[in-house]
Amino acid sequence: MWCVPHPKKSNHTLVLLDTEGLGDVEKGDNQNDSWIFALAILLSSTFVYNSMGTINQQAMDQLHYVTELTDRIRAKSSPDASEVEDSAAFLSFFPDFVWTLRDFSLDLEADGQPISADQYLEKSLTLKQGNSQKDNNFNLPRLCIRKFFPKKKCFIFDRPTHRKKLSQLETLHDDDLDAEFVQQVATFCSYIFNNSKIKTLSGGIQVNGPRLESLVQTFVNAISCGDLPCMENAVLALAEIENSAAVKKAIAHYDQQMGQKLQLPTDTLQELLDLHRASEKEAIKVFMKNSFKDVDNLFQKELAAELEKKLDDFCKQNMKASSDRCSALLEDIFTPLEESLKQGIYSKPGGYHLFIKKTQELKNTYLQEPRKGVQAEEILQAYLKSKESIADAILQTDQTLTEKEKEIEMQRMKAESAEAAAKMLEEMQAENQQMMEQKEKSHQEHVKQLTEKMERDRIQFMAEQERLLDLKLREQALLQKEGFLNESRQLQKEIHNLQLEMERQKEQCTII
């Protein structure tokens, strides 16, 4: 394996997978070759098959591995009964096919007219009429190539240099090679660099480095255990890893956003909820961008639970920060009152009114302080309640007040206390309502972004199905033109299944 910066596409890596030659008689077991062939198909976006000389029956026989692909690879973990015949599931992740012919010595002609290498390949894949075993053996590899590799390309190469210099080929410079061969190699490389696509799995999932590593491990482990490599299982295993990482990435983004924007304590609960909602929206976007194949939305539900827990933690932190600040403010602002109480300044005739006046002044000073947070009223009322017994004692000992006045003042104090308690209860109910509304808005944001993602996935799926349908219709037309009506009817079944699946996708609706 070679991994190099792509010579034509920035921010892309060109991965070259070179396998050992197929058909080595010394190995004695062609099972090895079959698995190598299958792995190369599974991992590549462009599959280059390299052979010597012309495309004849011997060359086709050596390519018999293509006829075994459905015996070596599964597209789905629980295939339908018809999947063996249906190539659509394989076409969605099979690579383009390039056949390179080394030491090619024929003139590219057909019926006395020059033809291209691609036309030569297409002509070589023409089927033979007949129902004998020999005819079937002739047609099978050609049918499989046409079926599994709709996009095909052929390149021919002259002998690179004189026969006597072939043993020194590794050390020769381009100037020592045949000029025609050098040009042919340049044309081949240009095609590969400019036309090879990013390896893409079913559902439009593009393969990067970590994903390639996961695919290799999954496929090799399956083969080592005696199972068939299954693309659906590989994608689900990949999704398990990446969706878990997507949750972590989304939470990290949320933490970063809240860390940058949030200053505790907030003046109101709504201020905290607004910051949470904005950060949550961005976090869900991060998850949607980095996740795929989230079966039953399990990872999105995990994200939602994590974000809800984060909000609960921030609410608790906000309350503590507010409590700490308010307690510190009260201690600082009401220190003069505490000192006066210790000195007995209010324990004299007229002291009660002085006490009430001073308390109100300090209370107003406290209320004017900024950013006290959500606990401002509760902490103040708790402090004032702790002074009720002192206020009552001062009231009872104040000789300037009549018993009637004292009774009226007692009722006023009770009314103020009841009013404050009712106000706190109302605020608590309002905050509970805000939290309930926040949960509903959070749910709606998850639904909204999930629906948008599902619609994007559906559009992408439909585009892929349209592409596959077009390829199958072209192949069917070619089979009919060649007179292979039985094969055309078999292909019609696949076309019908594909069209039914497309109709189901068009009618599909999601209830969340």
Side-chain angles (χ1 to χ4, degrees):
M1 179 189 290
W2 290 270
C3 301
V4 295
H6 200 288
K8 299 291 184 181
K9 300 175 183 176
S10 60
N11 301 319
H12 286 69
T13 297
L14 179 65
V15 180
L16 301 171
L17 300 173
D18 185 23
T19 76
E20 61 186 61
L22 305 178
D24 186 348
V25 293
E26 293 185 3
K27 285 185 291 193
D29 182 6
N30 63 3
Q31 292 290 316
N32 192 48
D33 287 345
S34 296
W35 285 124
I36 288 174
F37 190 89
L39 274 175
I41 293 292
L42 286 166
L43 298 174
S44 62
S45 63
T46 299
F47 179 82
V48 180
Y49 181 71
N50 185 23
S51 67
M52 295 282 288
T54 61
I55 301 178
N56 52 27
Q57 190 55 35
Q58 182 182 359
M60 282 292 176
D61 290 342
Q62 289 174 342
L63 196 52
H64 67 89
Y65 309 102
V66 75
T67 67
E68 304 169 3
L69 283 175
T70 53
D71 298 325
R72 299 288 174 181
I73 298 171
R74 283 191 304 171
K76 299 179 182 178
S77 57
S78 301
D80 299 328
S82 62
E83 188 176 326
V84 173
E85 291 80 26
D86 194 343
S87 61
F90 295 96
L91 286 180
S92 64
F93 60 85
F94 268 28
D96 296 338
F97 182 83
V98 176
W99 197 332
T100 58
L101 302 167
R102 295 183 291 125
D103 296 357
F104 190 83
S105 57
L106 288 181
D107 291 328
L108 286 178
E109 290 183 352
D111 301 323
Q113 297 295 319
I115 59 173
S116 67
D118 291 341
Q119 290 171 320
Y120 172 70
L121 174 59
E122 290 298 330
K123 184 175 176 58
S124 301
L125 295 177
T126 302
L127 304 181
K128 182 185 291 186
Q129 291 285 355
N131 296 314
S132 68
Q133 187 61 47
K134 184 178 179 181
D135 294 330
N136 291 337
N137 292 341
F138 178 91
N139 288 336
L140 183 57
R142 289 169 172 81
L143 273 171
C144 288
I145 292 173
R146 287 165 54 161
K147 183 190 232 183
F148 292 124
F149 306 104
K151 187 172 181 181
K152 298 174 285 293
K153 189 75 178 171
C154 182
F155 290 92
I156 62 170
F157 299 94
D158 294 341
R159 181 172 288 184
T161 187
H162 192 274
R163 181 176 58 81
K164 292 181 179 179
K165 290 185 178 181
L166 289 177
S167 61
Q168 309 164 29
L169 199 56
E170 294 290 334
T171 61
L172 295 179
H173 298 289
D174 283 0
D175 293 342
D176 301 319
L177 300 175
D178 180 79
E180 185 72 19
F181 173 80
V182 173
Q183 180 57 47
Q184 290 165 341
V185 170
T187 302
F188 167 74
C189 290
S190 176
Y191 175 84
I192 296 297
F193 294 155
N194 289 295
N195 293 279
S196 289
K197 305 184 295 290
I198 296 173
K199 177 65 177 179
T200 304
L201 309 179
S202 303
I205 303 160
Q206 294 187 335
V207 176
N208 55 21
R211 289 175 179 176
L212 178 62
E213 178 188 14
S214 177
L215 288 175
V216 171
Q217 290 179 337
T218 302
F219 293 145
V220 172
N221 287 342
I223 294 170
S224 299
C225 295
D227 296 329
L228 297 182
C230 174
M231 181 55 74
E232 183 180 47
N233 287 347
V235 170
L236 290 176
L238 195 58
E240 189 87 10
I241 296 169
E242 297 211 10
N243 290 344
S244 178
V247 172
K248 291 183 175 66
K249 192 175 289 187
I251 292 296
H253 185 79
Y254 173 87
D255 288 341
Q256 180 190 41
Q257 292 291 305
M258 292 295 283
Q260 290 174 351
K261 299 174 183 177
L262 180 61
Q263 288 185 324
L264 296 177
T266 59
D267 280 333
T268 63
L269 173 62
Q270 193 59 53
E271 181 184 343
L272 173 59
L273 295 181
D274 289 344
L275 286 172
H276 165 78
R277 189 152 52 249
S279 300
E280 178 186 51
K281 183 177 181 179
E282 292 300 312
I284 298 171
K285 283 183 182 178
V286 170
F287 173 79
M288 292 298 176
K289 181 180 178 181
N290 292 277
S291 64
F292 62 91
K293 297 283 184 185
D294 185 9
V295 179
D296 295 329
N297 306 318
L298 293 179
F299 287 95
Q300 188 178 0
K301 290 173 184 175
E302 179 185 337
L303 173 64
E306 285 285 331
L307 290 172
E308 186 175 346
K309 183 175 180 296
K310 289 278 183 182
L311 176 58
D312 289 342
D313 289 343
F314 275 123
C315 286
K316 291 174 183 176
Q317 293 175 37
N318 196 36
M319 291 179 68
K320 186 177 186 308
S322 176
S323 296
D324 291 347
R325 171 159 169 74
C326 292
S327 297
L329 278 173
L330 287 172
E331 183 178 352
D332 181 55
I333 292 170
F334 279 81
T335 293
L337 181 67
E338 298 287 349
E339 292 296 326
S340 297
L341 287 170
K342 289 178 182 177
Q343 295 169 14
I345 290 176
Y346 304 112
S347 301
K348 62 182 181 180
Y352 177 75
H353 283 300
L354 291 175
F355 173 77
I356 294 298
K357 181 181 178 183
K358 187 64 176 178
T359 300
Q360 189 60 45
E361 287 176 2
L362 297 177
K363 178 181 173 182
N364 290 337
T365 300
Y366 169 83
L367 293 174
Q368 290 169 8
E369 287 288 332
R371 297 201 69 80
K372 294 185 293 296
V374 294
Q375 292 292 93
E377 186 67 24
E378 185 173 335
I379 297 299
L380 174 62
Q381 293 306 320
Y383 176 81
L384 295 177
K385 190 169 185 63
S386 71
K387 300 304 176 190
E388 282 183 356
S389 60
I390 295 174
D392 185 53
I394 294 172
L395 174 64
Q396 296 304 327
T397 57
D398 192 335
Q399 297 175 357
T400 62
L401 298 173
T402 65
E403 290 300 319
K404 181 67 175 174
E405 288 173 327
K406 290 179 181 179
E407 179 64 27
I408 291 172
E409 191 60 27
M410 287 283 290
Q411 293 300 322
R412 185 191 67 79
M413 289 170 60
K414 288 181 180 179
E416 278 189 2
S417 179
E419 183 181 349
K423 183 180 178 182
M424 284 171 53
L425 179 61
E426 184 179 334
E427 288 180 355
M428 187 181 302
Q429 290 173 339
E431 289 179 354
N432 288 337
Q433 181 64 30
Q434 284 176 301
M435 292 299 291
M436 290 175 61
E437 290 174 358
Q438 165 56 37
K439 286 187 177 182
E440 178 59 26
K441 288 176 181 177
S442 175
H443 173 71
Q444 291 301 327
E445 184 61 36
H446 276 277
V447 170
K448 176 177 176 288
Q449 293 202 34
L450 176 60
T451 304
E452 290 171 352
K453 179 180 174 65
M454 290 177 69
E455 179 60 17
R456 289 193 299 270
D457 290 345
R458 190 190 69 82
I459 291 172
Q460 186 177 50
F461 174 83
M462 291 299 293
E464 175 65 15
Q465 297 300 93
E466 290 282 0
R467 185 185 73 85
L468 296 179
L469 181 60
D470 180 62
L471 293 171
K472 285 181 176 290
L473 288 171
R474 288 187 195 178
E475 177 61 20
Q476 185 186 41
L478 185 58
L479 287 170
Q480 290 173 344
K481 182 180 178 181
E482 294 174 341
F484 289 89
L485 300 181
N486 186 44
E487 286 77 3
S488 174
R489 282 192 292 270
Q490 289 180 346
L491 194 55
Q492 180 58 39
K493 294 177 183 178
E494 297 184 21
I495 291 171
H496 180 66
N497 290 338
L498 198 55
Q499 290 170 331
L500 286 177
E501 179 60 26
M502 292 171 70
E503 285 301 318
R504 279 196 293 268
Q505 285 295 323
K506 287 178 183 178
E507 298 169 1
Q508 186 176 1
C509 66
T510 304
I511 301 174
I512 300 176

